[in-house]
């Protein structure tokens, strides 16, 4: 039976070690991308795809995440008193963006372990997983397409992107078969971060998944894998190979994606998004041109 998917799970309990010391006391998902924390883009994406029920998996040092999606009464009162209604609107926007829920992971024992923490909240319905440090440009459709495929095929669906062969060791990589639908593939195998030269393809898993609830049973029996962590990729590999709950399909994304968990990609994301902003772009563009002309 097809369900209307309403729940999004956002794992945001990782240690963010690539961003230390910035992430010593602050979650990396709160790092600003131009003037909004990365996590707000992700929640906005979930809501735009009709997923109003958001469960965030958090950990120690993650209070700022909860505070961001709650009222900040003193700040709101001050802005109101000053008549600064533009900024007031920006502050209030995230208060009621979604129906937010939180659960802690305890120890960050891997993405699979984080997703397993969502079991009680999700129940027996298909649900989406959006990684809190992976941004998909709002002008490019991905999540709603994946939800549609999940519904049509009654299977799990993951997002894939073709990456340069030199980058495959940084991603979960899929072995795929074509289906009759453009940009939809059947997954026959998955491997987490294959050693350089051993990658079965250049189809990399990116941070969007629409999963059958059966993934929880599989995760419960998934042993720690790469890096000693319980890997979501390993559970999905088992679902693909054993055709559990309809198997696993991939939607190949060809749009704009920004990985804000990586320092270089984070800087690129800010520049790309700021250039296109009407309030910043007109001044930033000529400055950037001059700056790059002076680079050697
Ligand atoms: P990453 O591996 O990119 O996040 O996990 P990380 O471990 O925080 O980053 P580094 O490598 O140390 O810099 C992808 C997503 O999964 C979440 C992270 O918060 C991130 O959004 N995650 C990862 C968890 O919620 N729990 C975990 O145990 C691991």
């Amino acid at each position: 039976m097809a369900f209307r998917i309403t729940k999004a799970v956002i794992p945001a309990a990782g240690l963010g070690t690539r961003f230390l010391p910035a992430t010593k006391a602050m979650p990396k998902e709160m790092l600003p991308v131009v003037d909004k924390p990365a996590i707000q883009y992700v929640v906005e994406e979930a809501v735009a795809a009709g997923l109003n029920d958001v469960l965030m998996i958090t950990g120690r040092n993650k209070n700022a995440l909860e505070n961001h999606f709650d009222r900040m009464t003193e700040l709101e009162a001050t802005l109101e008193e000053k008549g600064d209604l533009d900024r007031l609107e920006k502050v209030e926007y995230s208060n009621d963006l979604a129906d937010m829920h939180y659960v802690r992971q305890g120890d960050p024992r891997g993405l699979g372990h984080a997703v397993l923490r969502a079991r009680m909240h999700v129940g027996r319905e298909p649900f989406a997983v959006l990684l809190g440090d992976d941004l998909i440009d709002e002008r490019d459709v991905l999540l709603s397409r994946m939800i549609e495929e999940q519904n049509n095929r009654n299977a799990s669906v993951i997002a894939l992107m073709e990456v340069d062969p030199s980058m495959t060791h940084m991603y979960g990589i899929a072995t795929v078969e074509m289906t009759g639908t453009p940009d939809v593939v059947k997954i026959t195998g998955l491997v987490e971060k294959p050693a350089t030269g051993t990658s079965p393809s250049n189809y990399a898993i990116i941070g969007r998944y629409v999963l059958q609830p059966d993934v929880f049973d599989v995760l419960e029996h998934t042993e720690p894998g790469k890096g000693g962590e319980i890997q979501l990729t390993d559970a999905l590999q088992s679902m693909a190979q054993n055709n559990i709950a309809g198997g696993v399909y991939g939607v190949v994304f060809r749009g704009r994606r920004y990985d804000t968990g990586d320092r270089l990609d984070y800087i690129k994301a800010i520049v790309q998004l700021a250039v296109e902003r009407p309030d910043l772009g007109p001044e930033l563009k000529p400055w950037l041109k001059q700056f790059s002309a002076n680079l050697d």
Side-chain angles (χ1 to χ4, degrees), residues 11-18 28-29 105 108-111 114 131-133 261:
L15 296 177
T17 53
R18 283 169 291 171
K28 72 170 167 184
E29 294 82 4
Q105 191 185 358
R109 292 172 51 204
L111 179 58
L131 298 196
D133 56 0

Side-chain angles (χ1 to χ4, degrees), residues 159-212:
L160 299 173
M161 206 163 177
E162 288 188 79
V163 298
D164 190 86
S166 65
M167 308 283 279
T168 48
H169 67 284
M170 296 165 66
Y171 292 91
I173 300 290
T175 313
V176 304
E177 279 170 6
M178 296 303 144
T179 65
T181 316
D183 288 338
V184 179
V185 292
K186 169 108 174 114
I187 311 270
T188 56
L190 289 167
V191 53
E192 183 62 29
K193 301 190 175 81
T196 308
T198 66
S199 186
S201 80
N202 65 337
Y203 284 107
I205 308 175
I206 57 171
R208 299 292 178 272
Y209 310 76
V210 183
L211 302 176
Q212 297 278 53

Side-chain angles (χ1 to χ4, degrees), residues 19 33 58 94-95 97 113 156 196-197 289:
F19 263 101
V33 177
T58 68
S94 56
N95 296 356
L97 190 54
H113 182 253
S156 295
T196 308
K289 277 188 190 151

Side-chain angles (χ1 to χ4, degrees), residues 145-156:
R145 178 86 205 282
M146 294 172 70
I147 292 171
E148 199 181 296
E149 287 301 327
Q150 193 287 326
N151 228 299
N152 293 343
R153 295 177 192 271
N154 197 19
S156 295

